[in-house]
Amino acid sequence: MPSRGSRMKKIAIYGKCGIGKSTTVSNLSAALARRGLKVVQIGCDPKADSTKGLTGGKPITSVLEVLGLKKTGSTLDDLVVEGDLGVLCVEAGGPTPGIGCAGRGIISAFDRLEELDAWGRLAPDVVLCDVLGDVVCGGFAMPMRKGYADEVAIVSSGEMMALYAAHNIANALANFATRGYARLAGIIQNSRNIPDEDDLVRRAAAELNTSVIGIVPRCDLVQKAEDQGGTVVSCFPDSAQAGVYHALSCLLVPDLTSKLAHAGTAPAALAAAS
């Protein structure tokens, strides 16, 4: 995935299945887009459901599905769908359940995007990869590799299995350190309201020699937005929860904050969240 320049930011976001990673990533994409940034979100889960919150709740055709139909004749228009707020959505997809390797789907998707010079032609400011983090095999580790991501963020709650997955992901990055893979940016806490959750996640981050980037509180607006096929940032733009996602987007991509757009919405939400 060749960069078009130092200005493009590429972040791979990993986390245990069911932790709310895709919801978090979609809200981050929406928040970044509201700041006037051009965003590409790549779903790297075989279920191909990462971007549904940006496409009205409707799944898009995955890269693997397109390749199965068109082989080498596929174009960027076949692979990329413009979603809410102009976010460009891509789903890697996966094989039929029980047949084939899901990680291979990620490899095939990235290979085809590179063949089509996707980043040179789309010229995004930010690329967010939403990656299933339960199994860090070769395919699922691909977004960690140099050139595909600058940083890795891990979504976790204070629950034992979520923290266990976070340790596995961090250990994978540590194992690849000598190869120049992406650096660990930290943990995004997607709260489940369990006892002492903030302390549990902080301690886990310290054990991994990293920090908590931000805390996303549990909020019923998340489910309400998903019921509408959207994100909190789009469906409830003036809410405190939307402000949390805006603030988190500025922490992850601080060097582009001068491009804040929609001045009547985003800054007020950021103030509420700070």
Side-chain angles (χ1 to χ4, degrees):
M1 185 191 295
S3 170
R4 68 184 179 91
S6 59
R7 186 167 169 271
M8 182 169 70
K9 185 91 167 182
K10 296 167 289 182
I11 305 171
I13 300 182
Y14 283 76
K16 175 185 175 296
C17 183
I19 198 59
K21 171 175 49 61
S22 294
T23 299
T24 302
V25 174
S26 294
N27 274 284
L28 283 172
S29 290
L32 289 163
R34 280 206 178 276
R35 289 167 52 190
L37 303 176
K38 189 172 186 179
V39 183
V40 174
Q41 179 172 323
I42 306 176
C44 299
D45 189 311
K47 297 191 299 297
D49 59 355
S50 168
T51 58
K52 286 172 65 177
L54 298 164
T55 58
K58 299 176 182 178
I60 64 175
T61 304
S62 72
V63 175
L64 275 194
E65 289 173 313
V66 172
L67 293 181
L69 293 170
K70 294 193 173 185
K71 306 299 180 184
T72 58
S74 57
T75 67
L76 272 183
D77 287 340
D78 297 319
L79 308 182
V80 182
V81 174
E82 184 171 334
D84 192 26
L85 299 171
V87 177
L88 301 177
C89 303
V90 180
E91 292 284 357
T96 302
I99 302 174
C101 172
R104 183 64 205 172
I106 299 173
I107 295 172
S108 298
F110 277 87
D111 283 349
R112 186 56 183 155
L113 289 169
E114 188 167 344
E115 288 169 4
L116 294 171
D117 187 26
W119 314 125
R121 293 167 62 187
L122 297 174
D125 297 303
V126 185
V127 178
L128 295 180
C129 295
D130 173 9
V131 195
L132 180 66
D134 286 315
V135 181
V136 189
C137 70
F140 287 100
M142 189 169 184
M144 294 180 175
R145 290 162 58 179
K146 184 177 181 180
Y148 290 86
D150 306 308
E151 299 176 346
V152 168
I154 302 171
V155 177
S156 181
S157 67
E159 296 164 305
M160 180 181 67
M161 294 309 296
L163 293 173
Y164 182 77
H167 274 77
N168 282 343
I169 296 160
N171 286 337
L173 270 177
N175 290 335
F176 293 137
T178 57
R179 302 185 194 179
Y181 277 30
R183 75 174 189 86
L184 179 59
I187 295 176
I188 298 170
Q189 179 181 319
N190 194 37
S191 303
R192 295 295 181 92
N193 290 351
I194 67 170
D196 301 318
E197 185 164 28
D198 292 1
D199 185 55
L200 287 168
V201 178
R202 275 197 299 267
R203 282 162 45 198
E207 290 174 8
L208 299 175
N209 295 314
T210 191
S211 60
V212 178
I213 301 170
I215 298 175
V216 179
R218 195 169 181 85
C219 178
D220 61 1
L221 291 182
V222 173
Q223 186 60 55
K224 289 180 180 179
E226 289 184 352
D227 290 344
Q228 297 178 36
T231 61
V232 172
V233 171
S234 283
C235 296
F236 306 101
D238 296 318
S239 66
Q241 189 74 3
V244 170
Y245 292 119
H246 279 292
L248 184 57
S249 82
C250 289
L251 291 169
L252 281 172
V253 190
D255 52 322
L256 299 175
T257 52
S258 62
K259 292 189 70 175
L260 275 167
H262 302 272
T265 301
L270 283 168
S274 60

